[in-house]
Amino acid sequence: MSFIVYMTASTPEEARSIGKELVSQNLAACINIFPNVESIYKWEGEVQSAHEVVLIAKTSEDKVTALTQAVRKLHSYDVPCIVSLPITGGNPEFLSWIEHETR
């Protein structure tokens, strides 16, 4: 089964660095980067906002744990957003490509 992993980063440079590392280690087949996202969140009891960068990784189920561990080591945040979601349908050829690229 393939998974989408949603993450945020503090800057485009951090997002690119994380993305390149994940792909080069075969932890993700592809990373999409969406710059300049505004996030509103509660941290340490206060509502805050920040401009962040969203990363979406396509990976296989057996790589989700290793991908999460790698991002935690590479990330500048104390508690980075890393959320994995199973892909329950889609283009079979694309899903096969994800599995092939993350072996």
Side-chain angles (χ1 to χ4, degrees):
M1 177 178 278
S2 297
F3 275 69
I4 295 285
V5 181
Y6 173 89
M7 300 165 277
T8 58
S10 61
T11 65
E13 295 77 22
E14 180 176 46
R16 278 188 217 98
S17 176
I18 290 170
K20 287 179 181 178
E21 190 65 25
L22 296 177
V23 172
S24 70
Q25 291 184 29
N26 296 330
L27 296 175
C30 174
I31 303 286
N32 298 120
I33 297 174
F34 298 85
N36 201 26
V37 174
E38 185 172 359
S39 297
I40 300 170
Y41 55 94
K42 191 176 272 190
W43 182 251
E44 297 180 346
E46 294 188 29
V47 174
Q48 301 185 24
S49 66
H51 288 282
E52 295 185 295
V53 179
V54 169
L55 296 87
I56 298 176
K58 286 82 145 194
T59 193
S60 56
E61 183 174 15
D62 64 333
K63 298 290 178 125
V64 170
T65 299
L67 182 149
T68 300
Q69 292 170 346
V71 173
R72 290 180 69 201
K73 287 179 186 172
L74 296 166
H75 212 287
S76 64
Y77 291 171
D78 292 337
V79 183
C81 170
I82 310 165
V83 180
S84 64
L85 306 163
I87 299 173
T88 60
N91 179 353
E93 291 89 358
F94 183 75
L95 299 177
S96 178
W97 173 78
I98 291 171
E99 294 298 319
H100 175 76
E101 292 301 320
T102 56
R103 281 190 209 148

